[in-house]
Amino acid sequence: TFANGCPATFTAPAVTVNPLPVPTLLASTASVCPNTNVTFTAGGGVSYIFKVNGSSVQSGVSNTYTTNILTNGASVTVEATNANGCKATSVPVIITVNASPSGTLTTPSATVCAASNVTFTATGGATYQFRVNGTIMQAFSAANTYTTSTLVNASVVTVDVLSASGCPATYPGLFMMVTPLPTGTLTATENSGTSNDNIICPGLPVN
């Protein structure tokens, strides 16, 4: 009604409500070892903003994001925008980053005599593989000790370790000093009959 009392009816304009996108987000794996690549693939939009723990890490038309620097429990989401400019955020994907083994490789002494038995002991893993100078001497097994008597001087012993979740580590090697055994001869001197033929009569001296 206008100020002069005359009535009028206005027709409301038509309003189009565009639908929101329905974003999807898939991870190549949800459980990884440290420094392992994980690829996230998004869908439901024409452009995407990937976020890790709420912080934007990649934006644009690419629907994939790859990273190897996630931490345990990281929450990854994607904000998808459709052709109408409407935006929506996916449900989060939580990534488990399993720890690498952490332990030691020890031996009672790093200096031994040639042909002596030496035992190496590793800790911190589920399975172990021992190497000498890079060559596998004892393949992966639950045995955390390796014993050998065939080391040569300057041998380096290392161990590859796998955790229960399959994450690998290689511990620093042990440099071994192997002392050679003494060499020499033992001779006898005697004067019984023919000298120094090592044939003597009873009771005669041997020097």
Side-chain angles (χ1 to χ4, degrees):
T1 301
F2 291 100
N4 59 10
C6 297
T9 300
F10 298 99
T11 301
V15 177
T16 300
V17 179
N18 292 313
L20 293 173
V22 181
T24 59
L25 183 62
L26 297 174
S28 56
T29 179
S31 181
V32 297
C33 297
N35 305 312
T36 300
N37 277 343
V38 184
T39 297
F40 298 88
T41 302
V46 295
S47 64
Y48 304 90
I49 299 174
F50 290 89
K51 298 179 180 181
V52 176
N53 296 328
S55 297
S56 175
V57 292
Q58 179 180 296
S59 62
V61 297
S62 175
N63 73 325
T64 61
Y65 165 63
T66 300
T67 181
N68 65 351
I69 58 173
L70 295 174
T71 56
N72 188 41
S75 174
V76 182
T77 57
V78 67
E79 181 184 282
T81 301
N82 62 17
N84 298 313
C86 297
K87 304 175 186 294
T89 299
S90 70
V91 296
V93 174
I94 307 301
I95 301 298
T96 299
V97 180
N98 299 295
S100 293
S102 177
T104 59
L105 173 63
T106 59
T107 191
S109 175
T111 301
V112 297
C113 295
S116 297
N117 271 340
V118 186
T119 297
F120 299 87
T121 303
T123 63
T127 58
Y128 306 86
Q129 176 173 264
F130 291 86
R131 298 175 184 262
V132 176
N133 297 327
T135 300
I136 296 172
M137 306 303 291
Q138 184 172 295
F140 275 111
S141 73
N144 72 324
T145 61
Y146 164 63
T147 299
T148 181
S149 62
T150 60
L151 294 177
V152 296
N153 191 42
S155 292
V156 177
V157 180
T158 57
V159 64
D160 305 320
V161 185
L162 293 177
S163 68
S165 56
C167 293
T170 297
Y171 296 166
L174 297 179
F175 183 87
M176 300 298 297
M177 295 183 63
V178 179
T179 303
L181 298 176
T183 60
T185 58
L186 176 64
T187 60
T189 301
E190 49 80 20
N191 293 299
S192 173
T194 302
S195 296
N196 301 323
D197 65 353
N198 293 333
I199 300 174
I200 65 171
C201 296
L204 294 179
V206 179
N207 298 321

